[in-house]
Amino acid sequence: MGSGWCGAELLAAGLGSGALLFLRLFLLLLLLLLVVLPGCCRPLALRRGRGEVGSLPAPAPRRPRRPRRPGARPPPYPNGWYRVLDSAQLPPGTVRSLALLVPDFAKVRTWPCCEVNGMLLLWYHCDETGPTWAVPEQPQIAAKEWVFRGQTEHFVDAHIQEIPENAADTAHLAFLHGPSFLSGSDLRYTKSKVWDFMKHVWKAEWQPEPEPNQHCSHMLLQHTATVFGKHFPLLDLSVSARQVGPGLVFLIFEHAFLGHGVILQTVTPLEPLLQNVVHKIYYQKNVPAIVPKFILRAECIQFERDITIWNNKQYLPKPLLVREDASIQKHRRWFAQFYSEKSTRPSAPKEGLDW
């Protein structure tokens, strides 16, 4: 045996099935530390403030940061349904003041609203026309077959179109989401050798839906994991992601023996370049809460890796694409339906702002 073998190879080769059993116990222990200790039965509640994640550290004073160029951004507010509150946050007979979709001028008017899946949503259209499609109800939530198990909230300094466009950028999956979720969300450390024994493998396919659901798109995502180069079936997962309009995503999870559930992702523009993103998970009530809370934690780590990219990228209307990026232009053509001729164009950035 040569001296060039690393410790991971020796463990995998020398212990065989024993090493896999050890790793299963090790991952289970990590799961317990991440989820059980804060409270096994309580729903997960995680809120990241603006700039708390996804922001790069400031460089040394002698090398000032180059201002982020604005790019030729599309209109700031696409037409569609947006979450404003959870149903529980506005009991009957109460009133709340909210600030979102910040316009250049104030105008008093009424807004079409609906209550679906435990959320209150508002219809926005630049032409002030009524809703052209309805928010679908998740039947398992309505029937209380799936119960609420947790929620995360983030703020993203980017245009809203950047977030759903991620579904069409399948090339980024291996680079950004391939490293183990155990290495965290800070992209400076995700490729650390400490966690290199575990990798995620993703296969994704995105397609727009035909009429009468042309406002929807669908992505099928298959996830597998390897440990020391060996397939680890415990983490096999199928995700069916349905984008409904510009601000709603239904992510249906299917696992061989850990059951089924859904993550509802809502993206609400607060400002042209500030998005409030909420993930709410509902899962089979006969499955221990530890399972959906673990899934939501892992999803949160992967999502925060994307935030770092969104917070620091520039939108290009005609990017230089290779063959593997063809779906990005296809996605942009699909997303264009949410803009109208009267859609307000973003004003030129003021001097001194980091946009």
Side-chain angles (χ1 to χ4, degrees), residues 205-216:
E205 183 179 353
W206 178 88
Q207 290 290 339
E209 294 187 17
E211 294 185 1
N213 296 320
Q214 64 272 18
H215 59 279
C216 300

Side-chain angles (χ1 to χ4, degrees), residues 29-355:
L29 177 61
L30 285 175
L31 185 150
L32 292 173
L33 291 174
L34 287 171
V35 180
V36 175
L37 292 182
C40 180
C41 298
R42 295 194 305 270
L44 177 65
L46 186 150
R47 185 180 190 272
R48 304 292 196 196
R50 185 179 184 184
E52 191 173 338
V53 296
S55 297
L56 298 177
R62 65 178 182 272
R63 297 181 61 188
R65 180 181 176 183
R66 293 180 59 187
R68 179 177 172 186
R69 293 183 296 168
R73 299 189 306 268
Y77 306 131
N79 303 321
W81 287 102
Y82 296 103
R83 170 193 171 274
V84 292
L85 289 171
D86 295 332
S87 299
Q89 294 177 295
L90 191 68
T94 61
V95 177
R96 286 192 59 172
S97 175
L98 299 171
L100 55 122
L101 298 154
V102 180
D104 294 332
F105 57 90
K107 184 178 181 181
V108 178
R109 55 166 294 192
T110 59
W111 302 84
C113 298
C114 69
E115 184 176 6
V116 184
N117 301 321
M119 300 182 295
L120 299 172
L121 300 105
L122 172 147
W123 172 262
Y124 168 85
H125 198 287
C126 66
D127 299 327
E128 300 188 6
T129 59
T132 56
W133 46 271
V135 178
E137 184 178 63
Q138 189 67 38
Q140 296 89 343
I141 297 178
K144 298 184 179 180
E145 297 174 5
W146 294 353
V147 295
F148 176 71
R149 292 301 191 191
Q151 173 176 310
T152 64
E153 183 177 9
H154 295 82
F155 295 89
V156 182
D157 291 304
H159 189 278
I160 183 175
Q161 185 174 326
E162 301 278 12
I163 297 176
E165 193 170 287
N166 210 48
D169 185 14
T170 56
H172 89 288
L173 291 172
F175 176 79
L176 203 63
H177 303 296
S180 169
F181 75 96
L182 299 172
S183 61
S185 60
D186 193 323
L187 299 186
R188 294 172 295 174
Y189 311 112
T190 54
K191 293 187 178 294
S192 169
K193 295 296 182 182
V194 175
W195 305 109
D196 197 43
F197 65 88
M198 180 181 178
K199 295 185 182 298
H200 301 283
V201 181
W202 307 88
K203 293 183 179 179
E205 183 179 353
W206 178 88
Q207 290 290 339
E209 294 187 17
E211 294 185 1
N213 296 320
Q214 64 272 18
H215 59 279
C216 300
S217 67
H218 182 263
M219 180 178 69
L220 183 61
L221 191 64
Q222 297 288 343
H223 170 266
T224 58
T226 61
V227 178
F228 293 125
K230 302 294 184 180
H231 180 213
F232 193 67
L234 182 65
L235 295 179
D236 286 359
L237 194 66
S238 295
V239 182
S240 175
R242 191 187 193 206
Q243 177 90 30
V244 182
L248 303 171
V249 181
F250 294 71
L251 297 104
I252 306 292
F253 289 83
E254 296 183 6
H255 194 277
F257 59 91
L258 295 180
H260 301 72
V262 63
I263 288 182
L264 303 179
Q265 175 186 288
T266 61
V267 184
T268 303
L270 303 181
E271 300 173 9
L273 292 173
L274 178 60
Q275 315 303 319
N276 176 243
V277 184
V278 173
H279 291 88
K280 301 165 68 71
I281 191 166
Y282 291 82
Y283 219 81
Q284 287 179 245
K285 59 184 177 181
N286 60 340
V287 174
I290 188 175
V291 173
K293 290 170 70 175
F294 173 73
I295 291 175
L296 186 59
R297 281 275 190 173
E299 193 277 341
C300 177
I301 291 172
Q302 297 286 11
F303 184 75
E304 289 179 356
R305 293 180 183 180
D306 286 310
I307 292 179
T308 304
I309 303 300
W310 292 325
N311 281 2
N312 294 278
K313 71 180 296 188
Q314 176 190 2
Y315 180 88
L316 297 176
K318 296 181 179 180
L320 181 62
L321 302 175
V322 296
R323 182 175 57 183
E324 291 78 8
D325 295 328
S327 58
I328 294 179
Q329 288 290 26
K330 185 177 181 180
H331 187 279
R332 290 188 175 187
R333 288 193 294 269
W334 171 80
F335 198 88
Q337 67 180 297
F338 304 118
Y339 302 121
S340 304
E341 291 185 5
K342 294 183 180 179
S343 292
T344 305
R345 293 287 170 178
S347 57
K350 296 180 181 179
E351 184 178 358
L353 293 181
D354 190 22
W355 295 106

